[in-house]
Amino acid sequence: MTELVLYNTASRRKEVFTPLDAQHVGMYVCGPTVYDLIHIGNARPAVVFDLLFRLLQDCYPRVTYARNITDIDDKIIAAAARAGEPIDQFTHRYAEEYRRDTQALGVLEPTLAPRATEHIAPMLAMIERLLQRDHAYVAAGHVLFAVQSMADYGALSGRSLADMLDGARVEVAPYKRYAGDFVLWKPSSAAEPGWDSPWGRGRPGWHLECSAMVQAHLGATIDIHGGGRDLIFPHHENERAQSCCAQDGREYVRYWLHNGHVNIDGEKMAKSQGNFRTVRDLCAQYPGEVIRFALLSAQYRSELDFSAALLEQSKASLDRLYGLLRPHAELPTDPVPAEKMQQQPVYRALLDDLNTPLAIGELHALCKSLGTAPVAERAARVAIIRQAGRLLGLLQQDPQQWFQQARAATDAGLDEAQIAALLAERQQARQAKDFARADAIRDQLQAQGVLLEDARSATSWKRA
């Protein structure tokens, strides 16, 4: 098999991927904290690691992919209280919303989707081991990890203890021995969710949750741990610390993978900036496959500039690919042997640290070649395109169906009353200086063929 090469955050270089067991790969990816609909930034790791899951399944006999659900967290507690909803019911609802939105993007179900609240016992056991090994201490009803007890704490993120404290969001608390120590267990009030423990009724710290779930389902050492770049510190650094120290220094993760940030119109996306886009809103404007294509248009480690223009380009690219496939869609095809498939340029691009821009370019070249290829070779090329598309999660529809859906969406359009209502909502958003919502409405109208012209006195519109 041609070698799979991945960029390892821990070593800061590309490495040939060699699993602990050549017959079974274990991968864990930090999943959603379920208290709201996911935005496009949350969708990027879901799509990126879905692609890696597909590729690993194609390369190895067995892959166990665990993507957790964080269903206990201070944000969840606050959001459930605002909604006036029991926390278990609240988190179940948003876990299902996450599943619905990621499925719309062609994301496969992971092998496992463990929930934090189902793993309290292994969390308590890990805390006990850390206390016994003098890597943790009890103070004011809390149990904290002592970061100075680990000689190479900071190795994953490449930060010294001083760097970590400088400008980092560290909870200042008088009961800490050192400002950088982090919480393993915290007390819960009577109004907050909590579990009995040797240190009093309380709940786990976020970092501990993932360590316990990894060990429970994938073992002491795993092949791959993934997530967004924003998780390197403190989350993954702290995960590594508590897991290694609870296991007497045993390696926790062999390959750390992190995807880059998503920028909206050139600015880093954040709720505080008011420039985030939910997947649900975007799927009302574009097919999920278009959004997936846009997310794969940049190599996963690079930052992605997400915009209406990128979505339009992605839609046009898919129209082109489906259009090139359409005359040959009925050709009977046989599965492509693994050895032959792995030598294809599109496949080799994916083996090189998931180089999706190159893979998509090779997919375009393959589709374009169908029209000029000898008739006897066309079926074989269509088979390669279909298998490459399956790995990317693209081109899985019948071309005729793709264009019928697009035509139905165009024909449905918006009537004048709907357009007027959206324009009124946009005007209210602009008056409230909610420019993110105003831009989202403009993009929604544009996607449905309605073009706006803003003048000082009023906004006019016309159909494209």
Side-chain angles (χ1 to χ4, degrees):
M1 183 188 82
T2 304
E3 293 177 323
L4 170 62
V5 175
L6 298 171
Y7 183 89
N8 190 344
T9 302
S11 65
R12 295 162 184 78
R13 61 183 173 86
K14 286 184 180 181
E15 297 178 7
V16 174
F17 175 66
T18 306
L20 284 167
D21 180 351
Q23 300 300 306
H24 182 199
V25 176
M27 178 171 71
Y28 181 92
V29 174
C30 290
T33 299
V34 284
Y35 68 97
D36 204 349
L37 296 177
I38 62 168
H39 54 63
I40 197 65
N42 306 135
R44 193 179 194 193
V47 168
V48 164
F49 291 103
D50 174 71
L51 169 62
L52 180 56
F53 181 37
R54 291 166 182 260
L55 186 60
L56 290 170
Q57 285 182 307
D58 209 66
C59 294
Y60 294 94
R62 182 181 169 206
V63 181
T64 299
Y65 171 26
R67 187 187 67 208
N68 79 294
I69 294 172
T70 297
D71 59 351
I72 181 65
D73 177 90
D74 288 352
K75 290 180 180 178
I76 293 173
I77 294 170
R82 287 194 299 270
E85 197 171 345
I87 195 165
D88 55 345
Q89 179 180 311
F90 181 82
T91 56
H92 177 78
R93 177 161 63 88
Y94 276 109
E96 286 301 308
E97 298 291 9
Y98 176 84
R99 186 168 175 267
R100 172 184 166 187
D101 285 342
T102 53
Q103 281 185 335
L105 304 182
V107 173
L108 302 175
E109 285 295 305
T111 318
L112 303 166
R115 291 172 178 260
T117 55
E118 297 171 351
H119 295 79
I120 300 299
M123 293 178 203
L124 297 178
M126 183 170 282
I127 294 174
E128 289 278 16
R129 290 196 299 274
L130 290 168
L131 286 167
Q132 291 166 6
R133 290 160 174 76
D134 293 324
H135 289 294
Y137 59 93
V138 181
H142 295 71
V143 185
L144 297 110
F145 183 90
V147 298
Q148 291 173 308
S149 71
M150 184 182 189
D152 67 341
Y153 181 77
L156 176 62
S157 58
R159 303 182 184 199
S160 67
L161 287 176
D163 290 338
M164 292 179 204
L165 292 179
D166 185 20
R169 285 186 291 178
V170 174
E171 181 187 356
V172 178
Y175 51 78
K176 288 186 177 184
R177 294 178 184 172
Y178 178 72
D181 294 348
F182 60 87
V183 170
L184 299 170
W185 189 259
K186 65 171 73 174
S188 291
S189 70
E192 294 172 328
W195 292 262
D196 291 334
S197 83
W199 318 285
R201 183 176 178 276
R203 58 189 189 275
W206 174 38
H207 314 306
L208 180 71
E209 295 173 3
C210 286
S211 286
M213 285 185 278
V214 166
Q215 188 173 40
H217 295 284
L218 298 174
T221 303
I222 63 172
D223 292 308
I224 296 170
H225 194 317
R229 184 177 297 160
D230 57 314
L231 297 183
I232 297 174
F233 181 82
H235 184 47
H236 288 167
E237 191 71 73
N238 292 348
E239 257 194 77
R240 173 182 172 272
Q242 62 204 6
S243 293
C244 290
C245 290
Q247 297 163 170
D248 298 319
R250 186 172 178 177
E251 185 179 28
Y252 175 45
V253 174
R254 304 184 70 239
Y255 300 85
W256 288 95
L257 272 65
H258 295 94
N259 63 272
H261 298 301
V262 174
N263 300 323
I264 300 292
D265 295 323
E267 293 185 356
K268 182 180 176 181
M269 189 188 65
K271 286 193 174 183
S272 59
Q273 295 288 102
N275 64 348
F276 63 100
R277 303 283 191 272
T278 68
V279 170
R280 188 68 52 83
D281 284 346
L282 290 166
C283 283
Q285 303 171 46
Y286 295 92
E289 190 171 345
V290 170
I291 300 166
R292 184 184 180 97
F293 190 101
L295 289 168
L296 295 176
S297 65
Q299 204 273 348
Y300 78 95
R301 286 189 289 115
S302 65
E303 293 191 354
L304 173 67
D305 289 322
F306 198 84
S307 64
L310 176 62
L311 288 167
E312 290 298 326
Q313 292 164 11
S314 299
K315 173 67 165 57
S317 292
L318 283 168
D319 284 347
R320 173 72 171 157
L321 290 169
Y322 274 115
L324 290 166
L325 267 176
R326 182 158 49 179
H328 315 284
E330 301 303 319
L331 288 175
T333 59
D334 295 318
V336 183
E339 299 78 12
K340 182 178 180 181
M341 191 66 201
Q342 289 168 4
Q343 294 307 313
Q344 298 300 316
V346 63
Y347 198 102
R348 284 159 56 189
L350 294 177
L351 290 174
D352 182 13
D353 197 31
L354 310 183
N355 190 339
T356 51
L358 180 58
I360 289 171
E362 296 292 353
L363 196 60
H364 272 281
L366 258 176
C367 290
K368 191 174 180 181
S369 74
L370 286 172
T372 57
V375 174
E377 296 180 13
R378 291 179 187 175
R381 294 195 190 190
V382 169
I384 292 169
I385 290 166
R386 285 177 176 162
Q387 286 189 220
R390 175 181 54 80
L391 286 173
L392 288 160
L394 303 173
L395 303 181
Q396 298 305 285
Q397 295 187 55
D398 176 82
Q400 196 63 32
Q401 181 187 17
W402 171 262
F403 288 108
Q404 284 174 349
Q405 287 179 350
R407 188 161 51 248
T410 301
D411 291 345
L414 293 170
D415 60 32
E416 292 193 12
Q418 291 171 315
I419 294 170
L422 285 168
L423 287 177
E425 183 183 350
R426 181 171 180 264
Q427 181 61 25
Q428 289 177 351
R430 294 176 75 185
Q431 289 173 349
K433 299 190 183 302
D434 185 356
F435 299 115
R437 179 58 185 154
D439 289 347
I441 294 170
R442 178 201 62 204
D443 294 344
Q444 178 183 349
L445 288 165
Q446 180 177 320
Q448 304 225 22
V450 178
L451 304 180
L452 304 186
E453 291 185 8
D454 288 319
R456 184 171 298 178
S457 58
T459 296
S460 60
W461 61 270
K462 62 181 180 180
R463 296 193 187 273

